[in-house]
Amino acid sequence: KNVGTRYSPDLVKKAIITYTNPFHNVLHIFLTERTTGKYTDNGRGLKQWCHDSYHPRPDETAKPELWPQDVWEASAGVPCRVAFFQYVQWHNNAYTVMHDVLKIPTRDVHYDDFFENVSGTLTDIIHFFGLSMVPDAMDEDGGMLIRKVERDVEHHMTPRAYRRVEQFFTSEERERIIAFVEAMSRPEVFQQL
């Protein structure tokens, strides 16, 4: 039950904005939600899931009221365009709130950074917030917490399906999606995606 608790925005002094590859984001949602067995593990299954999940408008040629014309035109032929739209809008809104409304320092962190350099990424985040590792941050093996996070990342975030983007999207679809994402994104956001 939501009791309507609100906190003052003045409490927020710094923030992290996390980014993941837009293709990986949509694939993650698809692969997580396709547990019914109704959808095949390929581009055809993804497109059917997109159609079923995002309840397309009865008239697919009608431009949504709030979409600018250039964004609508860029969406032509983009599978899962609503999922990509939501993804970009979330990042546009996060950027706007942090930089234009709250005007606080932010750190951009990409999920891929955790695959490439867990220790360096965590250290950067810890330093950004002015924190330091403490002796209590030991895992059950007596090592630093970072080793535990490395194992968790390896176990839970292994991008096995993400390496197969081309199995889910054709090269033409990928080009259209990139153009669509760029048309919708703030320039500062698109640089991070």
Side-chain angles (χ1 to χ4, degrees):
K1 178 179 170 182
N2 184 343
V3 293
T5 303
R6 291 183 180 244
Y7 297 95
S8 170
D10 295 334
L11 294 173
V12 181
K13 303 299 181 204
K14 292 182 176 182
I16 292 178
I17 300 176
T18 57
Y19 295 90
T20 189
N21 178 303
F23 295 101
H24 298 173
N25 186 68
V26 171
L27 284 177
H28 174 77
I29 297 167
F30 167 63
L31 294 171
T32 302
E33 292 184 1
R34 70 173 186 85
T35 57
T36 63
K38 180 178 177 181
Y39 308 106
T40 56
D41 188 13
N42 57 28
R44 182 178 299 146
L46 172 73
K47 284 150 190 82
Q48 183 61 49
W49 169 79
C50 289
H51 181 272
D52 294 349
S53 299
Y54 290 96
H55 310 291
R57 302 166 63 91
D59 178 4
E60 275 292 302
T61 61
K63 179 177 84 66
E65 193 174 310
L66 298 176
W67 286 27
Q69 187 63 34
D70 63 327
V71 170
W72 176 247
E73 290 170 6
S75 77
V78 171
C80 295
R81 67 177 163 209
V82 172
F84 285 103
F85 180 84
Q86 290 170 340
Y87 169 84
V88 172
Q89 282 303 99
W90 189 96
H91 285 90
N92 283 340
N93 290 339
Y95 186 93
T96 298
V97 168
M98 300 305 153
H99 291 275
D100 299 343
V101 177
L102 296 177
K103 298 179 181 170
I104 59 173
T106 63
R107 176 75 74 211
D108 297 324
V109 176
H110 298 86
Y111 281 108
D112 288 346
D113 295 344
F114 285 102
F115 296 114
E116 296 167 12
N117 184 2
V118 173
S119 179
T121 302
L122 288 175
T123 300
D124 182 54
I125 291 169
I126 289 167
H127 288 136
F128 173 70
F129 284 111
L131 304 172
S132 60
M133 292 296 285
V134 295
D136 292 355
M138 304 297 251
D139 66 14
E140 65 275 2
D141 298 329
M144 294 302 292
L145 175 65
I146 288 175
R147 283 207 321 248
K148 181 176 182 338
V149 172
E150 286 173 339
R151 288 193 306 269
D152 290 347
V153 165
E154 179 74 24
H155 178 71
H156 295 291
M157 297 176 65
T158 302
R160 58 185 161 74
Y162 304 154
R163 295 184 192 123
R164 304 181 298 153
V165 168
E166 51 282 335
Q167 291 180 313
F168 293 91
F169 301 101
T170 67
S171 60
E172 183 178 305
E173 288 171 337
R174 291 192 306 270
E175 288 175 18
R176 287 179 178 170
I177 291 166
I178 291 168
F180 179 51
V181 167
E182 184 174 17
M184 294 184 332
S185 298
R186 288 181 62 139
E188 306 89 347
V189 170
F190 185 71
Q191 289 177 3
Q192 299 298 327
L193 305 177

